[in-house]
Amino acid sequence: MSIDALLILELALLGLGAGFLAGLLGIGGGMVLVPFLTWMLGQRGVPAELAVKMAIATSMATIIFTSISSVRAHHKRGAVRWDIVQRLSPGIVIGSLIGSLGVFALLKGTVLAVVFALFVGFSATQMFLDKKPAPSRQMPGTAGQLGAGGVIGFVSGLVGAGGGFISVPFMTWCNVAIHNAVATSAALGFPIAVANVAGYVAAGFSLQNLPAGAFGYIWLPALGVIAACSVLMAPLGAKAAHALPVKKLKRLFASMLYLLAAYMLWKGLAG
């Protein structure tokens, strides 16, 4: 598979769009990136089984870069709860490695496509209804946060997402203020991404049928172009959030997510 000018243009547009949406709506780019990367890889002759896995892994790798950009902005405002980051991170790393190095490698790409579709459908419904859990308790102790981190890391590793749709509701349910929960979730994206990417690379390192530019399950050309473009656009999206009707936009975006979820479900069931 050649890395041509058209591919670079497609990846750049995808990265710009994902970065802008991430800044505007506070969502991870994985829900957009995975379906489009699956389609792009499939158009270039990569089998569906492998295309889904590479799309998930590459989407996760971009979070390494976008989370750094995001957490710097949140940290300047003093919004990150670093005490929570420290307690959740060990479980996140363990759960991520179990998901990306173990279960991810064992499951078929078509099964992962169905899991992704269900996850995105759930996330879209959450976004459409704009429901937030009522604060009803405090953060659990060290063991409880280790377990919670494990679930966040494991699920993130299977779907290529940064975990925000799990960690933010969990923290707000535990009486963490919403702006602190969002900022802390951005900080948690880094250990989630690093641990999962390590697992994806190790799990796919010995595969023989990988396309050009692959490093394990990571598609390096897509990672480079998308990461550069999304980091550029995320601040513009965040700025636009103050001028645009974000609640209405979230519902519109949720409707689009249902279509993307349907596409991934079709890929999984057809395979």
Side-chain angles (χ1 to χ4, degrees):
M1 180 175 62
S2 61
I3 310 301
D4 52 34
L6 177 60
L7 175 59
I8 293 173
L9 176 61
E10 289 175 352
L11 292 170
L13 291 173
L14 183 57
L16 292 171
F20 185 78
L21 286 170
L24 178 67
L25 303 177
I27 53 95
M31 287 184 287
V32 177
L33 293 177
V34 172
F36 281 103
L37 286 175
T38 299
W39 177 80
M40 290 163 68
L41 285 162
Q43 290 294 302
R44 286 162 176 81
V46 178
E49 285 280 335
L50 181 58
V52 172
K53 288 192 171 187
M54 291 189 68
I56 290 173
T58 304
S59 169
M60 178 63 76
T62 66
I63 296 171
I64 294 176
F65 302 94
T66 54
S67 68
I68 293 172
S69 174
S70 177
V71 78
R72 283 181 64 191
H74 285 299
H75 178 66
K76 286 180 181 178
R77 293 178 174 84
V80 180
R81 286 282 304 272
W82 290 109
D83 58 320
I84 296 177
V85 174
Q86 289 175 356
R87 291 192 181 97
L88 287 178
S89 290
I92 280 173
V93 171
I94 295 169
S96 296
L97 289 174
I98 293 172
S100 60
L101 186 56
V103 179
F104 182 88
L106 293 174
L107 288 179
K108 290 184 176 181
T110 48
V111 174
L112 288 170
V114 173
V115 171
F116 178 87
L118 295 175
F119 173 77
V120 171
F122 168 76
S123 299
T125 302
Q126 211 177 18
M127 185 180 290
F128 191 84
L129 298 175
D130 199 29
K131 279 193 173 181
K132 297 177 177 64
S136 59
R137 54 169 296 165
Q138 299 300 311
M139 289 292 291
T142 302
Q145 291 191 51
L146 180 71
V151 172
I152 294 167
F154 179 78
V155 174
S156 298
L158 293 186
V159 299
F165 274 91
I166 307 171
S167 59
V168 172
F170 168 69
M171 283 185 277
T172 54
W173 180 59
C174 294
N175 270 302
V176 177
I178 183 63
H179 69 281
N180 292 123
V182 171
T184 305
S185 175
L188 291 170
F190 187 77
I192 287 172
V194 170
N196 276 303
V197 166
Y200 296 142
V201 171
F205 200 73
S206 60
L207 294 179
Q208 303 298 317
N209 60 337
L210 294 171
F215 182 53
Y217 283 112
I218 312 294
W219 190 21
L220 292 179
L223 171 60
V225 176
I226 290 172
C229 292
S230 61
V231 167
L232 284 174
M233 286 300 289
L236 295 178
K239 188 176 180 181
H242 297 283
L244 297 173
V246 173
K247 191 169 183 178
K248 290 182 180 178
L249 288 171
K250 278 190 173 183
R251 290 189 171 179
L252 182 64
F253 182 65
S255 300
M256 187 184 80
L257 286 180
Y258 284 127
L259 295 176
L260 295 177
Y263 170 74
M264 292 300 289
L265 186 63
W266 172 74
K267 290 292 287 186
L269 297 178

